[in-house]
Amino acid sequence: MFDLTKWQRIVLKVGSTLIAPDGKGCSSRYLLAIAHFVVRCRAMGIQVVLVSSGSVAAGKHLFSDNVTNNRDVSITLKKAMAAAGQSEMMAAWDRLFDFPTAQLLLTQDVLQDHASYTSVRKTVFELLDHDILPVINENDAVSTDNLKVGDNDNLSAMAAAAVDADCLIICSDVDGLYDKNPSQHSDAKLIHQVDNIDSNILSMAGDSVSGLGTGGMFTKLEAAQKATAHGILTFILNGLKESSFNQLLQGQNPGTCFMPAETPMQEKVHWLTHTSQARGEVIVNNNIQAKLQDADLKLDYSDIVDVNGDFAAGDTVLVRDEAGKKIAKATSRSSSCLLYFLTSDDVDDSIVESAQISGPVIVKNELAVLETK
């Protein structure tokens, strides 16, 4: 049992299977129960942020069957489906509520920049303060491979962390996490509670039953891992069943409950670890590993032995030791171009001094130490 009345804010993720179950546009078949749950939560004083997939599935029926039934649908056509389906999806949600909704379409580059990430956070809070329901989706109509989050399971966890949610609810087409794929094994057992998402838990992930969405159980576990690290209670439940939402309202666990970390990550550390993607790598000398916990840690160009990738000042980079082990993610205060120059064998201190290059490349409050298990 848990106390729903203590929640201030939740993020609810709804997938394509629930939005357009027949692949013929939006349907209220499963959305009515979800909408009722949202209304009940708001009546209890709980703010709700909706992360809604389904724009491609919602827009598919608007295009010729002989094109959309082709397994090799082009990326451009999928983007067109998303553009057409997004408005249909928002209209479907609007019909189910007697309060206003607002659309936020995000791409990875928006979340990648901490200032933009903070701006999204402030916008959501402003909408919630005015009793407007934020509906978040990835902007599939314009995103490219290097700008994609990739799936709305992980996007929902990023959103939950950004808005300081108490709970993340991920709706699936199965009852929760099983010890093996229930569609292939009749003796699969539902796992009701997970205290720590480790490699053993991740190995239990099978594929989603539906072929409409981009995420399966593995991406849901990734999302749960991100959310719980921020201290957010997370549920994976069967969104096809109205009883799932009734049980939640009664303080019962309808699926799999993932317990939040006892010591949540700080906001900036969580953003670096789980939201911002590394644009390149810096290789540091091995004696840095012992200094990572120092409050006044500062890495300058002399600590860096090599640079990989192409990144600008302000980008997130992966920090590795000389053996290639990942030790941290951090914001680089220098570009890769400058660091290539500073770490080259034929550069000496006099050249660096004459160029008036000073200041650290990485500082402690812009660094997140990675788990070293």
Side-chain angles (χ1 to χ4, degrees), residues 56-78:
V56 174
K60 179 181 177 181
H61 74 106
L62 300 173
F63 295 80
S64 171
D65 286 344
N66 62 346
V67 175
T68 58
N69 289 335
N70 185 345
R71 296 186 65 180
D72 299 321
V73 175
S74 70
I75 297 298
T76 303
L77 180 56
K78 286 185 177 180

Side-chain angles (χ1 to χ4, degrees), residues 11 32 74 99-100 115 146 153 177 191 195 208 254 258 293 320 351 353 364-365:
V11 171
L32 283 171
S74 70
F99 46 79
N146 63 323
D153 293 323
L177 175 66
I191 299 173
D195 296 320
S208 170
F258 298 83
Q293 302 299 339
R320 295 183 184 267
I351 295 176
E353 291 172 3
K364 177 63 178 181
N365 65 353

Side-chain angles (χ1 to χ4, degrees), residues 284 287-297 299 319 326-329 362 364 367-370 372:
V284 296
N287 64 358
I288 295 301
Q289 180 82 49
K291 302 178 181 179
L292 287 177
Q293 302 299 339
D294 292 353
D296 59 348
L297 175 72
L299 305 183
V319 182
K326 299 176 183 179
I327 59 176
K329 286 175 73 178
I362 293 172
K364 177 63 178 181
L367 177 143
V369 178
L370 301 177
T372 55

Side-chain angles (χ1 to χ4, degrees), residues 106-292:
L106 304 179
T107 53
Q108 178 61 40
D109 63 326
V110 173
L111 301 170
Q112 186 76 24
D113 177 74
H114 195 257
S116 298
Y117 174 86
T118 302
S119 177
V120 171
R121 171 184 167 94
K122 291 179 179 178
T123 299
V124 172
F125 285 150
E126 193 69 27
L127 290 168
L128 293 172
D129 287 345
H130 286 82
D131 292 325
I132 299 171
L133 176 69
V135 182
I136 297 173
N137 192 12
E138 182 158 15
N139 196 348
D140 292 319
V142 301
S143 59
T144 55
D145 286 345
N146 63 323
L147 298 180
K148 288 181 70 68
V149 175
D151 65 272
N152 273 2
D153 293 323
N154 278 286
L155 180 61
S156 70
M158 296 175 190
V163 303
D164 300 328
D166 300 289
C167 180
L168 170 63
I169 302 166
I170 301 176
C171 297
S172 182
D173 45 19
V174 293
D175 290 342
L177 175 66
Y178 286 81
D179 60 354
K180 59 185 79 171
N181 193 325
S183 65
Q184 298 175 0
H185 303 275
S186 60
D187 61 341
K189 295 180 181 179
L190 178 67
I191 299 173
H192 293 285
Q193 181 171 313
V194 175
D195 296 320
N196 179 49
I197 302 173
D198 54 19
S199 58
N200 181 52
I201 294 296
L202 291 172
S203 69
M204 296 177 186
D207 293 330
S208 170
V209 173
S210 167
L212 291 173
T214 56
M217 185 54 68
F218 188 80
T219 61
K220 290 172 176 57
L221 292 180
E222 285 183 323
Q225 197 169 38
K226 287 178 171 65
T228 54
H230 202 270
I232 300 169
L233 181 69
T234 302
F235 290 93
I236 296 177
L237 53 80
N238 194 328
L240 305 177
K241 297 179 178 179
E242 185 176 358
S243 59
S244 298
F245 304 103
N246 293 333
Q247 285 181 264
L248 275 179
L249 291 168
Q250 295 165 9
Q252 299 173 0
N253 174 15
T256 303
C257 173
F258 298 83
M259 302 305 293
E262 293 183 5
T263 306
M265 288 182 177
Q266 296 178 344
E267 187 273 329
K268 187 66 174 288
V269 172
H270 190 276
W271 173 79
L272 274 168
T273 304
H274 292 298
T275 300
S276 185
Q277 295 180 357
R279 297 303 196 199
E281 299 179 350
V282 294
I283 314 302
V284 296
N285 55 50
N286 289 330
N287 64 358
I288 295 301
Q289 180 82 49
K291 302 178 181 179
L292 287 177

